[in-house]
Amino acid sequence: MTSSSVTSIHSRDNAFVKDLRRLAQDSTAYRKQGRVWLEGDHLCRAALARGQRAAIAVYSESFWPQAQMEYAQAAPKTIVLADALWADISGLESPAHMGFVVELPQAPALQPGVATVVLDRLQDAGNVGSILRSASAFGFGQIAALKGTAALWAPKVLRAGMGAHFALRLVEGLALEDLDGLGVPLLATSSHEGEFLHRAALPWPCAWTLGHEGQGVSEALEARARQRIRIAQPGGEESLNVGAAAAICLHASAAARDLAQGT
Amino acid sequence: MTSSSVTSIHSRDNAFVKDLRRLAQDSTAYRKQGRVWLEGDHLCRAALARGQRAAIAVYSESFWPQAQMEYAQAAPKTIVLADALWADISGLESPAHMGFVVELPQAPALQPGVATVVLDRLQDAGNVGSILRSASAFGFGQIAALKGTAALWAPKVLRAGMGAHFALRLVEGLALEDLDGLGVPLLATSSHEGEFLHRAALPWPCAWTLGHEGQGVSEALEARARQRIRIAQPGGEESLNVGAAAAICLHASAAARDLAQGT
């Protein structure tokens, strides 16, 4: 099952190992290298299931025998790393020491008329990944990340996104004015103002905006929104986790759409 | 503003420092010590805002001058740690080097008739904390954690919970049979079966069950549920993040309750 392109590496100073270490540990290294690092069995399978192809498959030496059975021909190039090097690169305690290097898709432009999630300076990689996952689940096709948002293809975002990256159009580094091209109504989540989500009529397609973990959606962005929407919190908490708020809003759009179609 | 109970510590081998290091780094040390560690400004303020009292306030030497203004008399005992010791204890990059040691509440028994969230072997501290936060926001009063669930008072869960711990009744280490005492209908979240959430009539009070990140709710627990409920995912994803799923379900209960009252 092995092909002629299998390379074993034992040196920390190998150029590929250095690049891979940067990809795995530096959240914006993908921009320089033009490729991303998917680590672990679950994430790699999710990417394959969405038709994504690996450029390079990377396995630890001790995982390599199993990899030859489970991942035969997963990529045109295979690299087998000495176990000691693996520990040096990976931050995961995954039992399967494997990962794929994938070519970063060409940065797309915003597509008008598409149901979109706008990220306004979100900081936490876990939150961003979880929102991408919810967006994909609820039929949103595009993510518009404003400048100051965490890097969308960072390894931690990829892990939390669990493959959603490969089902979405991801546009980064946008200015506020770029959103004018969306052509769908902006809905701003607010903690204190606007209509309650569960009583609101929601347009489709739309663009939900989600704001910075501490500061929420900026005033300038809120001013561009057609509706401000808040989530009723009878328990009296002042702020949900933004990933939780996103899930609730995006689901509400999908539910409203389904109910409108069904009646 | 300083009181007579201020102690400075410079030694790594000091008994309090050793205990604090365990509390901060070992997710179950609170069970032995009978107290928990709240680290960082935001979390400590959230606990104070819910009427929680600190047993010991801990500050780094360099934060101490500011602490005397901002946290005067926050606790009967104050400990000032040499900056080098702080780095040794803390995993956070928070600018405010401060935290509270708080007495762990007596482990309560399950209270019947209360809206509850049942956690079935959830593993990820961030997910558990986010669910506690959503539970508190949406008017659930009690968390029932089955054996095998992440420790509820672990530092990472406390951070993600953002004070929700102090607004909830938290019961840990339960067996399946213990849930018989809840006296409210169990609703099981399911990824493939049951009624769609947005079309379901939801009872109140109820107990939502949320399952293990990989395996979901166990069959034995599902068998005890009155209803199985699933979240429509028109985008075709197979699994939402469990914190996202929880937020959607708990919000749906709160919304249904509000709509029933309003009409």
Side-chain angles (χ1 to χ4, degrees), chain B residues 156-205:
Chain B
K156 281 186 191 170
V157 180
L158 278 160
R159 278 207 292 279
M162 267 304 154
H165 286 73
F166 304 105
L168 293 164
R169 189 178 184 90
L170 303 177
V171 192
E172 294 194 280
L174 294 169
L176 222 48
E177 305 77 52
D178 295 328
L179 300 179
D180 294 344
L182 275 177
V184 297
L186 274 179
L187 307 180
T189 50
S190 169
S191 54
H192 294 91
E193 292 177 284
E195 204 174 354
F196 284 113
L197 177 70
H198 66 284
R199 295 179 175 273
L202 299 174
W204 184 268

Side-chain angles (χ1 to χ4, degrees), chain A residues 50 130 133-134 136-139 197-199 231-237 239-241 244 247-248 251 254-255 258-259 262, chain B residues 50 130 133-134 136-139 197-199 231-237 239-241 244 247-248 251 254-255 258-259 262:
Chain A
R50 281 172 188 78
S130 161
R133 209 169 154 186
S134 296
S136 168
F138 295 124
L197 176 70
H198 65 284
R199 295 179 175 276
I231 295 170
Q233 298 180 46
E237 298 297 295
S239 71
L240 286 167
N241 166 275
I248 292 166
H251 171 259
D258 180 62
L259 291 172
Chain B
R50 281 174 187 75
S130 161
R133 210 169 153 185
S134 296
S136 168
F138 295 125
L197 177 70
H198 66 284
R199 295 179 175 273
I231 296 170
Q233 297 180 46
E237 296 299 295
S239 72
L240 286 166
N241 167 275
I248 292 165
H251 172 260
D258 180 61
L259 291 172

Side-chain angles (χ1 to χ4, degrees), chain B residues 7-23 33 35 56 77 79 81 85 89 101:
Chain B
T7 311
S8 281
I9 302 181
H10 289 81
S11 162
R12 258 187 187 75
D13 300 325
N14 174 282
F16 174 79
V17 170
K18 286 182 174 175
D19 281 352
L20 190 58
R21 199 181 297 130
R22 277 188 210 105
L23 273 188
Q33 294 193 29
R35 48 193 193 167
I56 308 173
K77 272 175 83 171
I79 288 184
L81 290 185
L85 292 188
I89 286 165
V101 174

Side-chain angles (χ1 to χ4, degrees), chain B:
Chain B
M1 276 297 185
T2 60
S3 79
S4 57
S5 66
V6 178
T7 311
S8 281
I9 302 181
H10 289 81
S11 162
R12 258 187 187 75
D13 300 325
N14 174 282
F16 174 79
V17 170
K18 286 182 174 175
D19 281 352
L20 190 58
R21 199 181 297 130
R22 277 188 210 105
L23 273 188
Q25 294 171 5
D26 173 349
S27 60
T28 59
Y30 69 83
R31 290 180 185 152
K32 273 191 196 153
Q33 294 193 29
R35 48 193 193 167
V36 300
W37 169 234
L38 311 186
E39 187 173 339
D41 194 48
H42 200 151
L43 176 55
C44 287
R45 286 185 191 281
L48 291 178
R50 281 174 187 75
Q52 184 61 42
R53 306 185 64 171
I56 308 173
V58 188
Y59 309 110
S60 73
E61 221 161 37
S62 53
F63 186 68
W64 174 227
Q66 195 182 332
Q68 289 174 79
M69 295 186 292
E70 291 183 16
Y71 290 99
Q73 316 293 350
K77 272 175 83 171
T78 295
I79 288 184
V80 180
L81 290 185
D83 288 352
L85 292 188
W86 193 270
D88 198 35
I89 286 165
S90 164
L92 289 185
E93 286 173 32
S94 165
H97 283 174
M98 57 86 55
F100 292 160
V101 174
V102 165
E103 297 296 331
L104 184 67
Q106 285 289 316
L110 276 185
Q111 192 172 344
V114 173
T116 299
V117 179
V118 177
L119 305 180
D120 179 18
R121 298 162 300 128
L122 265 77
Q123 298 302 299
D124 182 80
N127 285 341
V128 173
S130 161
I131 293 173
L132 265 57
R133 210 169 153 185
S134 296
S136 168
F138 295 125
F140 289 74
Q142 179 167 258
I143 304 291
L146 296 176
K147 275 184 201 115
T149 299
L152 298 184
W153 292 93
K156 281 186 191 170
V157 180
L158 278 160
R159 278 207 292 279
M162 267 304 154
H165 286 73
F166 304 105
L168 293 164
R169 189 178 184 90
L170 303 177
V171 192
E172 294 194 280
L174 294 169
L176 222 48
E177 305 77 52
D178 295 328
L179 300 179
D180 294 344
L182 275 177
V184 297
L186 274 179
L187 307 180
T189 50
S190 169
S191 54
H192 294 91
E193 292 177 284
E195 204 174 354
F196 284 113
L197 177 70
H198 66 284
R199 295 179 175 273
L202 299 174
W204 184 268
C206 69
W208 278 104
T209 65
L210 294 154
H212 181 279
E213 284 84 355
Q215 300 156 20
V217 172
S218 75
E219 280 185 35
L221 177 52
E222 207 175 73
R224 288 170 181 257
R226 178 188 295 181
Q227 279 173 268
R228 279 189 296 191
I229 304 273
R230 62 175 150 170
I231 296 170
Q233 297 180 46
E237 296 299 295
E238 285 282 304
S239 72
L240 286 166
N241 167 275
V242 66
I248 292 165
C249 292
L250 305 184
H251 172 260
S253 280
R257 206 176 144 207
D258 180 61
L259 291 172
Q261 283 169 350
T263 53

